[in-house]
Amino acid sequence: MPIPIWLAITIGATGIALARVDYNMFFMRFFRDLSRSKARARLHNNKYAMIPVMLGIEKPIKIQDDINAENVMTITREQLEEMDGFDGAPLYLAIKGRVYDVSAGEKFYSEGKEYHEWVGKDASRSFGTGCRGGVDRTGMDCLSSSLEGLTEKELKEIDRWLELYETHDKYTFVGHLVDDPVDEILENVEDEEEGTVREQSSGETKTENIAAEVHK
């Protein structure tokens, strides 16, 4: 008996959709949400926390904005790069500028493991898009900290990962990611020098124009 056209189209469309699924990221997000639901149940004494989380209809948890707190540690990008698990170093990652120690998850975050691309950097963009190498659909580096051009759905995914690290019972918040003050000073000096050059160039142009008018 021939297969009905509608059934053939449905099977074909399903096959295409499944072929486009990033199964690694699918399962990473599944176990992330499982961990988040357990954390919510533990922290809020809510035994039904798993239902909305696994269905993707949960209300977001607000992360405390403590960036200006006196006792909060700051880490430069260069320092974060060194926290890659090599030579006895811990495993750190950053998301939305918040740095977490994930050394307890060594079997997931050490070299060659599924999550290692996120270690030693702020790869916030990757948490949202699921892209972990090369460039994403916008042409930006997948492992960038930039959130430019991301959709609301992708931004929500980032917040879900942030919640995982913030509420996990084995991962700890270390501090806030900051630019190296020396690099910032050098950039300011360069900007001032460029501004001075532009002013001098503008002044020379005006002088030349005045001289030309005088000699007419």
Side-chain angles (χ1 to χ4, degrees), residues 1-146:
M1 187 176 74
I3 299 177
I5 294 177
W6 66 267
L7 180 58
I9 293 174
T10 301
I11 294 173
T14 302
I16 293 172
L18 290 175
R20 292 179 176 176
V21 173
D22 182 341
Y23 289 103
N24 285 335
M25 182 54 66
F26 173 82
F27 285 111
M28 287 166 72
R29 287 174 174 171
F30 173 81
F31 288 113
R32 172 204 66 188
D33 291 341
L34 191 62
S35 181
R36 288 171 56 229
S37 64
K38 290 179 179 179
R40 287 188 176 215
R42 182 183 75 253
L43 297 173
H44 305 289
N45 195 27
N46 178 7
K47 62 181 180 180
Y48 301 110
M50 180 179 292
I51 297 174
V53 170
M54 301 308 290
L55 291 176
I57 57 175
E58 78 283 9
K59 293 182 179 179
I61 290 180
K62 184 175 177 57
I63 306 301
Q64 182 181 357
D65 183 10
D66 54 4
I67 191 169
N68 294 318
E70 294 182 359
N71 60 341
V72 173
M73 180 179 176
T74 58
I75 300 174
T76 66
R77 296 181 188 279
E78 289 75 11
Q79 290 171 331
L80 179 60
E81 289 176 1
E82 296 175 357
M83 306 303 174
D84 55 7
F86 292 100
D87 298 325
L91 292 161
Y92 285 8
L93 62 76
I95 177 169
K96 295 183 77 170
R98 296 178 68 83
V99 181
Y100 296 90
D101 184 342
V102 296
S103 300
E106 182 181 3
K107 63 181 180 179
F108 303 111
Y109 292 92
S110 58
E111 184 184 18
K113 302 302 181 181
E114 201 64 45
Y115 297 72
H116 187 68
E117 291 93 340
W118 292 336
V119 171
K121 60 179 71 71
D122 184 335
S124 296
R125 191 176 194 83
S126 177
F127 288 102
T129 63
C131 174
R132 288 175 290 150
V135 296
D136 62 20
R137 58 178 174 75
T138 68
M140 293 192 68
D141 180 4
C142 288
L143 298 175
S144 167
S145 61
S146 172

